[in-house]
Amino acid sequence: MNSLTSARPTKALIYCRVSGKKQTKDGSGLDSQEYRCRQYAEAKGYDIEAVFPDDVSGGGDFINRKGMVALLAYLDARPDERYVVIFDDLKRYSRDTEFHLKLRREMSARGAVRECLNFNFEDSPEGQFNEIISVAAGELERLQMGRQNKQKAMARVEQGYAVKSVPPIGLKYVPAKGGGKVLVHDEPLASIVREALEGFASGRFQSQSEVKRFLEAQPEFPKDFPDGRIRQMRVKRMLEQIMYGGYVAAPAWGISMRDAKHEGIVSKETFWRIQDRLKGRPVMAARKDMNADFPLRGAITCSCCGYTLTGGWSKGKCKHYAYYFCHHQGCDQRGKTIPVAKLHGRFEEVLKALRPSKFSLGLVMTLFAKAWDDQTARLAETTKLYATKARELEAEIDKVVDRMIEVTNPRALKAFEDRIETLERDKLQALEKARKKPAPTRPFAEMFELSLRFLANPYDCWEKCGPDARNIVIRLAFDGPLNYTRETAYLNTEKSNVFRMLESFCTSRERVVPPGRLELPLPKKTDFESSSHSPFFWTRTGIWYRFQTGAET
């Protein structure tokens, strides 16, 4: 052992390191290293002042190791003291030749003496040569292990297994039968992610911002900020995550996308529909500056250039006049005005035409009722999942307690106590959620009243609501901005999926039901109140329809 001063240091610092956070949580490497170093210091008569642990790789610059940086800062804060720095193995100190030599110079400049349990430092040419050879051997071992792990991971991906260390939300790793791990659904997060992805694919959520708001409204979904918000980038990554579609890939390793061994949260068809929507034209965004005088601003596009029309007031001789116009530079129609009354009248004609038949509304009511029942069943299933989770947490607490009995190290005991405290808190939360009975906040009829009013007569909602609600009516009634031709006053519209579906109901009915009168028996009042959701009658709100005539009774 070398000494930089004639006086032998009696104060010591311990440095411990493992290669990753997983080893800190699942193993006892840091505790065992500290225990051996303390025994060594006691045998040498050193007084331990501090312990500096690290949970990062030994390769690369030691500046990236918080524990080592803290140790050097500790030495800098006490320039008049001389310390012995003790570590368990030379590989724990460094596994990179270049930065090992640099770290040796940093220690020497601070007057610290290095002592290792498994290596004898000698202040001689031969000793320095042996040190460098030992470090180089450790670096070679590290590089070979990295290459071997990479090759194994590449083989797993080529076979269809995911190797990402942290799985995406809604998926988790479980041991596979043939060895290794495989992804499975992590409920209830998987159901939340599925609803968000399918909603975006189907058009229920027209934009990524709507997906974001949906996820923020789910209490089980992890948030990025204390106030319950999530980052917009997380939504984009979720929509592009190939694992949700049942695929794996590793572009950095030259491995293209392929079918995965795990079951995707959504179907492959849904996944590709999401990608098509992401690459397609942007949907009509909700304006923040909606004006009651120009509710169609941003919702109508110019037939010449395709950009949305804006609106404004023009001062006449006696009064002001409201107009829509194209403001895009280079458009032939730029600055040519369209009277507000003319465009509003044409739009209202289109909106009035969206009047589904009462038969179609009856079918929609049936779909709403089924979705209501499915959601109630899902809530009941979630309650069972939380009860199961509480039992699993209790079993894990028992395991931690059993391991705690065998430990005498104070630092390890403190870690076990913290772990038990966290598990107990999680168990209490799970039990609380398991005891909650799934019950709707409002009755079925009240929840869907506004939706059915809109479907029955979109124009009525448009006429009675304010500027913000009018923007919602436009987005629900049409898939995107409406194209207006100024010369012919033609408004080219593309109805939303809901109204196209209602039209298809009517078309199917005309094809299936033969001409003539189809008489159905009138249901009894008792059957009407207690029957399940019939496709022929609207029963939940106290209103029902005759199938053959559509007459309201």
Side-chain angles (χ1 to χ4, degrees):
M1 309 288 179
N2 66 332
S3 176
L4 299 181
T5 62
S6 57
R8 180 186 178 89
T10 59
K11 297 180 179 180
L13 306 175
I14 294 177
Y15 178 73
C16 311
R17 185 186 64 81
V18 291
S19 298
K21 296 183 182 299
K22 183 178 180 182
Q23 295 183 16
T24 304
K25 297 177 181 179
D26 301 341
S28 57
L30 291 177
D31 293 333
S32 61
Q33 290 179 43
E34 180 182 345
Y35 177 73
R36 281 169 47 81
C37 290
R38 286 187 178 276
Q39 283 187 321
Y40 176 85
E42 184 178 354
K44 290 284 187 176
Y46 297 143
D47 296 327
I48 304 297
E49 283 199 3
V51 178
F52 299 90
D54 259 325
D55 55 4
V56 295
S57 172
D61 197 341
F62 59 86
I63 294 300
N64 298 325
R65 291 190 252 161
K66 295 181 179 180
M68 182 58 72
V69 172
L71 189 152
L72 295 176
Y74 191 91
L75 295 175
D76 290 337
R78 298 160 179 79
D80 298 331
E81 299 287 345
R82 292 294 177 265
Y83 289 95
V84 175
V85 179
I86 305 173
F87 41 93
D88 179 66
D89 191 271
L90 195 60
K91 296 176 182 178
R92 301 300 95 200
Y93 185 68
S94 177
R95 301 185 75 172
D96 188 299
T97 307
E98 176 185 356
F99 291 104
H100 176 91
L101 296 176
K102 183 178 178 181
L103 183 57
R104 183 176 69 178
R105 290 192 294 269
E106 295 290 340
M107 291 281 187
S108 177
R110 290 165 173 79
V113 178
R114 300 170 300 152
E115 293 190 11
C116 176
L117 277 64
N118 297 330
F119 187 83
N120 184 28
F121 292 101
E122 296 180 0
D123 192 10
S124 65
E126 293 80 9
Q128 294 181 7
F129 175 79
N130 291 333
E131 179 182 347
I132 294 174
I133 292 298
S134 298
V135 174
E139 182 177 7
L140 174 63
E141 181 184 358
R142 175 177 63 84
L143 296 175
Q144 288 176 333
M145 289 175 58
R147 180 181 61 187
Q148 184 179 14
N149 292 335
K150 178 182 176 181
Q151 291 172 345
K152 290 180 180 179
M154 291 176 63
R156 293 280 293 175
V157 176
E158 289 175 348
Q159 294 173 355
Y161 291 97
V163 296
K164 190 175 181 181
S165 57
V166 179
I169 297 175
L171 296 172
K172 64 180 180 180
Y173 285 112
V174 297
K177 293 182 179 180
K181 295 182 178 180
V182 65
L183 289 174
V184 296
H185 293 182
D186 183 14
E187 296 293 351
L189 293 175
S191 296
I192 296 173
V193 173
R194 182 184 301 110
E195 186 172 354
L197 298 179
E198 291 180 347
F200 185 79
S202 64
R204 170 189 169 191
F205 304 127
Q206 287 291 315
S207 64
Q208 297 182 38
S209 296
E210 293 181 30
V211 178
K212 176 175 175 289
R213 288 194 290 269
F214 167 77
L215 296 175
E216 289 173 343
Q218 308 302 316
E220 298 90 353
F221 194 84
K223 308 300 189 297
D224 296 325
F225 300 98
D227 59 359
R229 292 180 296 116
I230 64 174
R231 292 184 173 88
Q232 189 68 45
M233 182 55 67
R234 176 188 280 198
V235 177
K236 188 174 186 298
R237 290 173 179 170
M238 283 182 58
L239 296 173
E240 295 176 345
Q241 178 55 256
I242 63 174
M243 294 185 189
Y244 289 147
Y247 296 104
V248 292
W253 297 339
I255 302 176
S256 60
M257 185 184 298
R258 60 199 62 207
D259 288 341
K261 295 293 185 181
H262 69 269
E263 180 185 359
I265 288 183
V266 297
S267 66
K268 291 178 169 57
E269 179 183 0
T270 300
F271 171 78
W272 288 115
R273 194 158 60 243
I274 292 173
Q275 307 316 304
D276 291 340
R277 286 207 61 194
L278 291 174
K279 296 176 183 177
R281 61 179 175 85
V283 300
M284 180 176 52
R287 293 184 64 102
K288 296 182 179 180
D289 58 344
M290 289 298 296
N291 190 296
D293 298 324
F294 305 99
L296 298 180
R297 187 172 59 179
I300 308 293
T301 59
C302 175
S303 61
C304 182
C305 64
Y307 283 82
T308 55
L309 300 182
T310 186
W313 289 90
S314 177
K315 184 178 181 181
K317 185 176 180 180
C318 301
K319 61 178 181 179
H320 289 77
Y321 299 89
Y323 294 100
Y324 287 100
F325 54 90
C326 179
H327 198 62
H328 178 59
Q329 189 73 29
C331 178
D332 294 339
Q333 301 291 330
R334 185 173 187 268
K336 296 182 179 180
T337 59
I338 306 169
V340 164
K342 181 178 180 181
L343 187 54
H344 285 186
R346 185 70 188 94
F347 175 79
E348 289 174 358
E349 290 176 6
V350 173
L351 207 58
K352 289 176 182 178
L354 297 179
R355 291 291 300 271
S357 68
K358 293 177 180 178
F359 166 74
S360 299
L361 290 175
L363 290 180
V364 169
M365 189 61 189
T366 301
L367 295 177
F368 280 170
K370 185 178 185 304
W372 178 275
D373 292 340
D374 291 344
Q375 179 71 3
T376 303
R378 188 168 79 90
L379 291 174
E381 186 65 25
T382 302
T383 302
K384 296 179 182 178
L385 289 173
Y386 278 119
T388 303
K389 182 179 179 181
R391 291 193 294 269
E392 293 175 351
L393 289 171
E394 180 64 31
E396 188 172 352
I397 291 173
D398 293 339
K399 292 180 181 179
V400 174
V401 172
D402 292 340
R403 293 181 60 187
M404 188 176 178
I405 297 175
E406 304 172 358
V407 176
T408 57
N409 186 286
R411 188 164 174 265
L413 287 172
K414 180 64 169 57
F416 278 123
E417 291 173 357
D418 294 342
R419 178 61 176 161
I420 292 175
E421 182 180 354
T422 302
L423 291 173
E424 288 285 0
R425 183 171 61 251
D426 293 344
K427 187 186 76 171
L428 290 176
Q429 293 176 355
L431 288 173
E432 181 181 358
K433 294 178 180 179
R435 283 192 289 265
K436 290 183 178 179
K437 301 298 181 182
T441 56
R442 288 181 290 175
F444 176 88
E446 184 180 346
M447 291 287 289
F448 289 98
E449 178 186 2
L450 183 58
S451 299
L452 293 171
R453 279 177 51 199
F454 167 77
L455 293 176
N457 192 348
Y459 173 74
D460 184 63
C461 295
W462 169 269
E463 188 179 28
K464 296 178 180 178
C465 61
D468 294 336
R470 283 189 169 187
N471 181 69
I472 297 175
V473 170
I474 297 172
R475 300 180 66 201
L476 289 175
F478 306 101
D479 267 351
L482 291 73
N483 188 268
Y484 182 78
T485 306
R486 184 175 176 275
E487 293 80 4
T488 61
Y490 177 70
L491 197 60
N492 185 21
T493 63
E494 185 177 350
K495 300 175 184 177
S496 65
N497 292 332
V498 176
F499 287 99
R500 288 201 298 269
M501 179 186 68
L502 292 174
E503 284 185 353
S504 68
F505 287 163
C506 295
T507 305
S508 301
R509 180 190 177 195
E510 291 174 359
R511 289 199 302 264
V512 173
V513 179
R517 187 177 181 84
L518 178 62
E519 294 290 346
L520 292 177
L522 186 67
K524 299 179 181 179
K525 181 175 179 60
T526 54
D527 297 336
F528 168 76
E529 292 177 345
S530 60
S531 63
S532 61
H533 319 303
S534 167
F536 305 132
F537 298 99
W538 182 355
T539 63
R540 290 262 185 158
T541 60
I543 302 175
W544 59 276
Y545 298 97
R546 291 287 297 273
F547 173 83
Q548 74 281 13
T549 63
E552 182 175 339
T553 304

